[in-house]
Structure formats: C-alpha cells, structure tokens
Amino acid sequence: MDFSKIVSSTAYELSKALSDGATTSTEITSAFIDRIQKVDGQVHAFLYHDPEDMLAQAKESDLRRSQNLTLGPLDGVPVGLKDVIAVEGQPLTAASKILENYISPYNATVTRKLKESGAVISGRLNLDEFAMGSSTENSAYGATKNPWDLDRVPGGSSGGSAAAVAAREIPLTLGSDTGGSIRQPASLCGVVGMKPTYGMVSRFGLAAFASSLDQIGPFAQSVEDVALLLEIISGHDPLDSTSYPVEIPRYSEVLKEDCQPCKIGLPSEFFGPGMDDEVRKSVELAIEFYKSIGFEIIDVSLPSTDLSVSVYYVIATAEASSNLARYDGIRYTSRSQRAENAIDIYSKSRGEGFGEEVKRRCILGAYALSSGYYDAYYLRAQKTRTLIRKDFEKAFQKVDVILTPTSPTPAFKFGEKSDDPISMYLSDIYTISTNLAGLPGISVPCGFSDSGLPIGMQLIGQAFEEGPLLSVAHQFDREHRLGRQAPNL
Amino acid sequence: MSKETKMDIDYVSKLARIDLLPDEREKFQAQLGDVLQYFEKLQNVAVEGVDPTAHAFPRTNVWDQDSPVPGFSSKQALQNAPQVRNDQVIVPKVVEE
C-alpha cells in the first residue's frame, strides 16, 4: 500500500489490510514514522518516539503473522500513548519539568494489554502538565497545535493524543479524562474520543491527577475504532482496587446491532446561553438526524449542572494536591540544587519543577483541605457531587442516552484564555459533570464551523453501558464519517 | 473582577510545600481570589442530609491474594532517584541537633 493511503486509513481498515496480506506492520509503521517526520514539526503532538523500537515491534508482529500466531485485530497497528501512561523503559514526563529524566520501571496495565494484543506502542503524546488544563498550553515542552488551524489550541489536556490522530500521524491513541480531557480535545480536533465509565479501565500505571475522576480512554477517526481499542484496554485489574469487576462485551460486535427503539435526552441546562451559535447549529442538525432515523427525543433536566465546575475544581484540586505530594525531590524527581534541608528539598524542587497551573491547583487543593475550610469546600463539594449524580440517575429513568455539545466553542486561539483560569475552567462545562457522576461519555464529530473548525457532540451513557452508547454514536458516525476528514498539512 | 481574597497565600503555599516566586505569589493571590469567589455559589446549595460522594461507584473490602509476587530490584527501584549511594537514597539530615 502506498504511504498516503496507509496514514489516512482507520485501524479497522489497516487491520483488514494486514489480514488480507495487502500490507505488513513494517510498511504501516514506516508510513506513520514518515508522516510524523513530515508534520510533527508543525503540530508538536509527540514528546517522544523511537522509530527503531517501533520498527522492531512491527517486525515481531509480521513474524507472528507469517507463523499464524497473530494476537488479534490490533496486531501490527500503531497506538500512541499520552505521556502519563507508563511504558517500561520509556520516558514519562507528564509534560512536567519535574519528571524530565524519569524512565518508567514498569508497564501500565493498559500498556501490558496493548502489548498482549500485538499493538505497536508508538511514542508519547503531549498534554497539559499532569493533565491539568484544557488547551495543552500548560506543557513544559511547548504547546501542541490544532492541525485544522495552527494558530489555535488542540484542546486538552490530551491535546497531543487528539492532534496526532487528526494529523494522521497515528491511527489510535490513548488519553486520560478527569473533567473532559479526552472529549474536549477530540471535539476541537475533529476526531472521536471516549471516556469510559469510572472503573472500566485500570488506572494502574497512570500518573494520577484526581483519583476519583481519572479514566483512560481511546481516540480514533471513527466510533468503530474506538470500540475496538476500548475492548482491549477494559476489564477488571487486581492492581487497581477501584477497577470494577464487570464483564466486558465485544464492543465491535455490539455495534452491528442498532440501538432501537432508543430515547435520547436533551438536558435544557446544556443548551442555554454561553454556547457558540455554530456549535448549536451543528448539534441541532445531529438531533434532527436521530429523529429522522426513528429516535425519540425527550427533554430532561440536570438542575445541578451550574454547580459542576465549582464542585469539580474543589474535588479535583484537593485530590491533586494529595496525589502530587509524591513529587518531592526525594525518590524519583529532579532535586533542587538550592536546597539546604529536607523541607527545602520539597518546597524548592516543587517550586522549580512544577509549572504555573500545577502550582495554582496544588495550592487551591491544599486550601480546600486545610483546617477550618474542609467542611465549607471539600465536604460541601462532595455532597453537591451527590446531587449531580442523582440528577443523572433521574434523567436515565426516562432515556437511554443524553446528548449535549462537547465544548461551548470550537478551538480557541493560543493565549486567549491562558491568563484567566475561570474562563479556561468553563471550557469544560459540558464534560465535567460526567466525571463527577462516573458515567461514560463520547465525543463524535458532528460538523464544522464556517471557518472550517471541527465541532463535536457529546453522548453520555449509563454506568457500565458502553455498548448502547457506542451503538448510538456509531449510528451517526457511519452515516456522516466526519472524523474521516483530514486537515491540510 | 475582585482582588479580594480570604486565602493567606504564604501559609497555603507552605502547606502545599511549594516555593513561589514573588511575581507568582502576587498573580496567584489575585487569581485564586477570583476562583474562590466563583466557588461561593457552593455555599448556597441545600446539602443538609445529603451523603457525600467520594467515588461514583465505591467498592469496599477489596482484598488482594496474600501471595508473594516478584518486585523491583533495588537497581530498578532507585533508577530515578536524584541522589543514590550504596543502594540508598541520599537525603539531608532530618533530626535536629
């Protein structure tokens, strides 16, 4: 196959070409290495990739195939990982200076599962430092650019994972989503991105941000590809005590059955002011499509939505301030040369090693947990979180899936929000409540603005019901295939 | 936007064990004041009698099998440590004279 055809293919198409003998993993991997070399100078999605290692994995895959020992549909297909997911022997920086020289001594569970499925583990993708941000501008190693408009952000925090798929540098990637960090960049880059139910995918080997909210999930050009990757990374893991013992269906098979009859809920709170007109128009067209194929559209209410950003930033920063205490300059981070005593090592190493947003959030979290403020902020936020969760439970008594925009606007310009934390925090307003309630959500490209920027819709499902959610998303995606459109680079 | 804040930035940055540069201190003081003001809406929510949610799907009594598994060698465990001697991490003296 010629290289341009390979890089524009979905994982499904590559998998089929491999099993038909039309190409080899070595050829596929070479095509993507070539593409990364051609376009990543502009996009800066990758923080690290090792072509030699990628080609060695591809060669092993080809050898397995020649001996009929292929490990599954993704055997020989490249997958990139957000730089918070551990791969033994590779760097893991979390886009932070404090982990500049860190090398992972072990594999994350998702990495192990990918290796067992024969996927070619292909490099580390840029993000907002420690996954804190919505634009990838908070990376200590320079921002990723939106492949559709290089003057604009790709979203975040998994901006590198989204941009790499959009720029056709890789067919599949993994990101992590704490308040929208998969879905929002997927929307801004015009690809599909999914956050599974909390507990579906092991967090072992994921650098923790907010442990009660973080989930790993896939990016791809199509819902079909996302289903394929989700099927491989999901499942109970004894190494993550919050991972849930549920049976994982073959999602790629589930997609063959349409969700019918199906009821879609529209929460009025998500369609109020603050939404860009072009986003509204695209999402309304998607709703019309669902009506036209026989879906019932029902109004629902999620009255606590307005509180979700406050609840999220109290809980997430509190958990972060505790989780990031481990980066202390003692065991595995860079140590300040100016430190004179033990406390100095902590304070100076963290002061020098952390970027601005990470410092801001750790301080905010420490405040929310501090004596005298715990009840007013942290405990109150946890109680309000219960109200948000109950809103969804009530809505799901009436509908199968909830539909909203993913982001209030298409991709914004660099610097537009970076000095105003609240305005940046509000760019996650449609995605945050899903994490607080633990529910699965997927962003599917549903249109373009007049200036050619991608727009995404979000579908939210019931807990551990990824099957019907993917099926509803697929019914739109297979007709419109907007994630298959590529930017000119 | 308000520049008022209830946060004692010096005290909280000490709690968080983060040294701030003077310009960061000033900037955060104002920004975090705004954020805290935004959080004020939480104070008006009726939460009496509502249980807090720590996890969306809490699991209790999660036990692991009590059987030995291979762990890191000391070399692996120390490979990222900033200062090492004799298979141990070097730290400054922490006991006062």
Side-chain angles (χ1 to χ4, degrees):
Chain A
M1 276 166 85
D2 73 67
F3 277 12
S4 65
K5 188 163 181 211
I6 287 174
V7 299
S8 63
S9 299
T10 64
Y12 245 95
E13 289 162 350
L14 294 173
S15 176
K16 186 165 185 306
L18 282 166
S19 58
D20 291 348
T23 186
T24 61
S25 178
T26 301
E27 190 175 53
I28 289 172
T29 305
S30 305
F32 284 108
I33 292 170
D34 182 66
R35 179 75 180 164
I36 292 168
Q37 276 158 2
K38 280 195 179 119
V39 304
D40 206 56
Q42 297 173 70
V43 179
H44 190 45
F46 281 84
L47 290 178
Y48 168 91
H49 77 291
D50 178 352
E52 210 175 300
D53 172 59
M54 287 160 69
L55 286 168
Q57 294 177 65
K59 203 172 156 192
E60 280 176 37
S61 169
D62 289 334
L63 183 66
R64 282 194 295 274
R65 197 168 292 276
S66 71
Q67 297 168 335
N68 285 321
L69 295 171
T70 297
L71 298 168
L74 284 191
D75 199 334
V77 177
V79 180
L81 305 183
K82 185 178 183 178
D83 197 17
V84 277
I85 299 171
V87 178
E88 189 180 339
Q90 288 195 7
L92 186 158
T93 69
S96 181
K97 245 170 41 186
I98 208 162
L99 288 175
E100 197 170 7
N101 301 311
Y102 183 86
I103 302 291
S104 296
Y106 64 94
N107 283 322
T109 296
V110 292
T111 307
R112 176 180 59 76
K113 285 176 177 248
L114 284 171
K115 283 179 182 266
E116 286 167 4
S117 75
V120 176
I121 310 283
S122 301
R124 317 212 37 90
L125 295 154
N126 201 8
L127 65 147
D128 286 297
E129 183 178 2
F130 286 108
M132 296 180 189
S134 310
S135 67
T136 319
E137 288 167 292
N138 296 335
S139 167
Y141 304 102
T144 296
K145 310 232 168 84
N146 192 312
W148 291 91
D149 179 345
L150 298 170
D151 293 330
R152 289 177 188 269
V153 304
S157 66
S158 312
S161 301
V165 172
R168 304 300 183 249
E169 294 175 79
I170 192 136
L172 297 170
T173 59
L174 290 181
S176 63
D177 189 315
T178 307
S181 280
I182 290 175
R183 291 158 289 156
Q184 186 256 19
S187 172
L188 270 46
C189 288
V191 298
V192 182
M194 181 175 195
K195 180 200 95 74
T197 307
Y198 183 81
M200 278 285 287
V201 179
S202 169
R203 293 182 294 111
F204 180 75
L206 169 72
F209 161 16
S211 304
S212 81
L213 303 163
D214 297 341
Q215 266 297 281
I216 294 172
F219 287 90
Q221 290 177 35
S222 70
V223 173
E224 262 186 326
D225 278 7
V226 158
L228 189 61
L229 186 50
L230 182 66
E231 190 174 299
I232 286 164
I233 60 169
S234 299
H236 178 248
D237 176 17
L239 295 172
D240 172 3
S241 62
T242 63
S243 101
Y244 224 77
V246 284
E247 196 153 320
I248 305 302
R250 295 276 311 275
Y251 295 120
S252 44
E253 293 297 317
V254 170
L255 292 191
K256 292 176 183 159
E257 305 254 336
D258 286 351
C259 179
Q260 202 85 355
C262 196
K263 291 178 186 164
I264 291 185
L266 303 180
S268 51
E269 294 81 1
F270 283 63
F271 289 86
M275 193 196 311
D276 178 276
D277 285 341
E278 291 185 296
V279 171
R280 188 183 301 272
K281 204 172 112 197
S282 292
V283 172
E284 280 172 355
L285 284 172
I287 296 166
E288 286 308 313
F289 168 79
Y290 280 116
K291 269 189 202 162
S292 75
I293 59 168
F295 280 53
E296 198 179 334
I297 309 293
I298 295 171
D299 287 330
V300 294
S301 180
L302 300 168
S304 307
T305 299
D306 176 43
L307 301 166
S308 61
V309 172
S310 299
V311 171
Y312 173 82
Y313 279 96
V314 172
I315 291 177
T317 57
E319 293 186 15
S321 76
S322 164
N323 269 325
L324 271 65
R326 74 191 69 183
Y327 305 109
D328 56 7
I330 302 289
R331 291 158 298 159
Y332 45 72
T333 51
S334 51
R335 183 179 287 185
S336 170
Q337 299 302 313
R338 299 182 300 123
E340 286 169 15
N341 57 46
I343 300 293
D344 248 15
I345 290 186
Y346 305 150
S347 305
K348 292 205 167 81
S349 301
R350 290 157 67 79
E352 291 167 16
F354 286 157
E356 222 177 70
E357 182 63 16
V358 173
K359 291 182 199 177
R360 205 157 29 225
R361 293 202 195 186
C362 285
I363 288 171
L364 191 57
Y367 178 75
L369 291 173
S370 66
S371 168
Y373 296 100
Y374 178 90
D375 284 359
Y377 289 102
Y378 188 62
L379 190 61
R380 190 163 264 275
Q382 284 194 320
K383 288 181 176 176
T384 312
R385 183 176 179 184
T386 305
L387 302 179
I388 292 169
R389 201 162 49 88
K390 286 191 170 158
D391 280 358
F392 277 104
E393 280 171 15
K394 209 169 147 198
F396 278 123
Q397 288 172 358
K398 295 203 285 184
V399 298
D400 302 291
V401 163
I402 289 172
L403 190 154
T404 76
T406 307
S407 166
T409 64
F412 45 93
K413 289 203 162 152
F414 287 104
E416 204 176 310
K417 298 175 195 258
S418 47
D419 265 337
D420 182 358
I422 295 175
S423 135
M424 187 70 92
Y425 297 172
L426 285 171
S427 64
D428 293 333
I429 188 151
Y430 299 141
T431 47
I432 272 176
S433 50
T434 313
N435 298 73
L436 292 168
L439 302 172
I442 185 167
S443 180
V444 182
C446 71
F448 287 90
S449 70
D450 288 344
S451 56
L453 297 171
I455 293 167
M457 65 166 161
Q458 172 178 234
L459 294 160
I460 303 167
Q462 301 189 53
F464 304 107
E465 294 291 339
E466 271 72 2
L469 177 63
L470 284 162
S471 177
V472 172
H474 178 57
Q475 279 170 264
F476 180 88
D477 192 44
R478 74 176 172 215
E479 294 299 322
H480 297 82
R481 298 160 53 90
L482 297 178
R484 301 297 308 275
Q485 295 193 24
N488 290 320
L489 279 170
Chain B
M1 285 199 289
S2 163
K3 296 288 172 203
E4 293 297 316
T5 172
K6 292 182 289 181
M7 189 189 285
D8 177 349
I9 195 92
D10 294 324
Y11 171 66
V12 186
S13 61
K14 207 171 144 190
L15 282 183
R17 298 275 192 255
I18 295 177
D19 259 15
L20 295 180
L21 302 167
D23 59 331
E24 281 177 336
R25 191 189 162 281
E26 203 175 312
K27 191 173 175 184
F28 288 5
Q29 182 93 47
Q31 287 175 333
L32 293 174
D34 290 341
V35 172
L36 289 180
Q37 200 174 49
Y38 185 81
F39 287 175
E40 278 303 304
K41 60 170 79 173
L42 286 179
Q43 306 309 324
N44 302 322
V45 186
V47 292
E48 289 72 31
V50 178
D51 289 331
T53 294
H55 269 86
F57 313 110
R59 298 189 61 211
T60 47
N61 293 347
V62 181
W63 305 110
D64 200 0
Q65 288 201 337
D66 190 16
S67 50
V69 288
F72 287 151
S73 64
S74 51
K75 189 176 168 229
Q76 281 173 309
L78 292 167
Q79 73 183 34
N80 290 297
Q83 289 180 37
V84 176
R85 190 168 61 209
N86 298 338
D87 280 351
Q88 294 169 73
V89 177
I90 301 176
V91 292
K93 191 169 68 176
V94 290
V95 183
E96 302 281 337
E97 301 255 346

